[in-house]
Amino acid sequence: FNGVVKCWIDFDQASLTDPASMTGVRDSFNVSSMFDGGTGLSVLTLANAMSDSNYAGTTSCMGTFGDNDGRNYIAVAMPKDSDEVYVNQFTTAGSAADAGYVAAHITGDLA
């Protein structure tokens, strides 16, 4: 299905646990686990892999969940490989930060 979202997730980076788990994940589709890689860094593992690492990710994030004033954060979803995605969060000043609300969508071709 071309043009259809292959993966999406809504999570709280500050609540992720190590090792990989789904703690902190509010809801998701095609996600088998999330790994807390440190401040502002998580690694999402896809349940069904993409055909290669040339897929696209889009994100949104806020410093806090459910607070209309939780702005000034940026998130980036980028391919690590065909079944893992880096989701990084930063303040607008450029410092790594754990965001309370992060959403990501992955589009491309499944394997």
Side-chain angles (χ1 to χ4, degrees), residues 6-7 20 29-35 42-55 78-87 106 109-111:
K6 305 305 190 298
C7 167
F29 171 73
N30 194 26
V31 175
S32 62
S33 67
M34 287 291 288
F35 177 78
S42 54
V43 181
L44 176 155
T45 303
L46 300 170
N48 297 291
M50 304 301 282
S51 62
D52 55 35
S53 61
N54 298 316
Y55 52 87
M78 59 188 176
K80 177 180 178 199
D81 53 38
S82 64
D83 67 344
E84 290 187 312
V85 182
Y86 290 123
V87 183
I106 303 301
D109 297 326
L110 289 174

Side-chain angles (χ1 to χ4, degrees), residues 12-99:
D12 178 353
Q13 173 69 29
S15 296
L16 291 178
T17 58
D18 185 26
S21 75
M22 293 298 278
T23 303
V25 175
R26 291 185 194 91
D27 204 356
S28 66
F29 171 73
N30 194 26
V31 175
S32 62
S33 67
M34 287 291 288
F35 177 78
D36 181 0
T39 303
L41 174 61
S42 54
V43 181
L44 176 155
T45 303
L46 300 170
N48 297 291
M50 304 301 282
S51 62
D52 55 35
S53 61
N54 298 316
Y55 52 87
T58 57
T59 58
S60 62
C61 78
M62 292 175 50
T64 55
F65 178 69
D67 178 2
N68 64 357
D69 196 31
R71 55 187 176 267
N72 299 328
Y73 281 70
I74 301 165
V76 177
M78 59 188 176
K80 177 180 178 199
D81 53 38
S82 64
D83 67 344
E84 290 187 312
V85 182
Y86 290 123
V87 183
N88 300 324
Q89 306 109 63
F90 308 91
T91 65
T92 54
S95 300
D98 287 345

